[in-house]
């Protein structure tokens, strides 16, 4: 399913495989050099997990892997529950304020300006936007660290 022509004209899009993605805050931070590949990967993972946990939807890969397991409704729901539990651990570890910012930035794909108006309505737009941008970069570093620690813990268990 493609975005409507009106939305394609209004929002900046980039093509990722077979899907369109809004040119969002993560890409802006990446192009500015504020974050690296690790943070971009963490943001994309969080976004996929958020959509799967809340809506039960995943993007179909451009080229399905031949070794991918095909599951039934039960394994689908178990994996969805695991994603929701992982998001809960992130919220507990990073805090509610961080979760709200992640949800605004990645879940709702809000711009820095829109986030700034919500989070800092009393500050000037430029100052509030700068604060939100810096907080977002730091938050993505923390998210990448969380996923890295989770991967280490999983490696130690095996």
């Amino acid at each position: 399913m493609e975005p409507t022509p009106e939305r394609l004209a209004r929002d900046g899009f980039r093509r990722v495989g077979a899907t369109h993605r809004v040119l969002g805050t993560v890409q802006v931070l990446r192009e500015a050099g504020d974050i690296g590949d690790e943070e971009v990967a963490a943001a994309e993972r969080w976004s996929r997990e958020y959509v799967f946990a809340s809506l039960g939807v995943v993007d179909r890969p451009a080229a399905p892997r031949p070794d991918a397991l095909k599951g039934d409704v039960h394994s689908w729901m178990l994996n969805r529950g695991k994603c929701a539990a992982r998001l809960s651990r992130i919220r507990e570890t990073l805090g509610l304020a961080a979760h709200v910012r992640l949800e605004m930035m990645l879940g709702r794909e809000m711009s820095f300006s829109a986030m700034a108006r919500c989070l800092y309505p009393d500050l000037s737009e430029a100052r509030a936007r700068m604060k939100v941008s810096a907080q977002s970069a730091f938050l993505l570093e923390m998210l990448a660290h969380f996923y890295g620690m989770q991967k280490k813990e999983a490696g130690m268990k095996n």
Side-chain angles (χ1 to χ4, degrees), residues 134-145:
Q135 289 173 357
S136 298
F138 181 66
L139 179 57
L140 291 175
E141 288 176 21
M142 291 171 46
L143 184 63
H145 179 72

Side-chain angles (χ1 to χ4, degrees), residues 26-60:
V26 174
Q27 191 63 27
V28 170
L29 290 171
R30 175 74 175 103
E31 290 173 1
D34 293 338
I35 61 172
D37 294 336
E38 202 172 313
E39 290 81 7
V40 172
E44 289 174 356
R45 178 177 175 181
W46 187 94
S47 182
R48 282 192 313 271
E49 289 183 337
Y50 177 79
V51 169
F52 183 47
S54 59
L55 302 174
V57 177
V58 294
D59 284 336
R60 184 178 354 183

Side-chain angles (χ1 to χ4, degrees), residues 53-101:
S54 59
L55 302 174
V57 177
V58 294
D59 284 336
R60 184 178 354 183
R65 294 184 357 216
D67 62 337
L69 296 175
K70 300 207 186 301
D72 59 6
V73 67
H74 304 292
S75 61
W76 186 266
M77 293 309 289
L78 284 171
N79 284 327
R80 188 174 175 191
K82 287 178 185 178
C83 275
R86 209 169 14 256
L87 291 174
S88 292
R89 279 196 307 275
I90 292 170
R91 184 176 53 242
E92 290 168 6
T93 303
L94 302 181
L96 181 60
H99 177 74
V100 167
R101 283 162 175 75

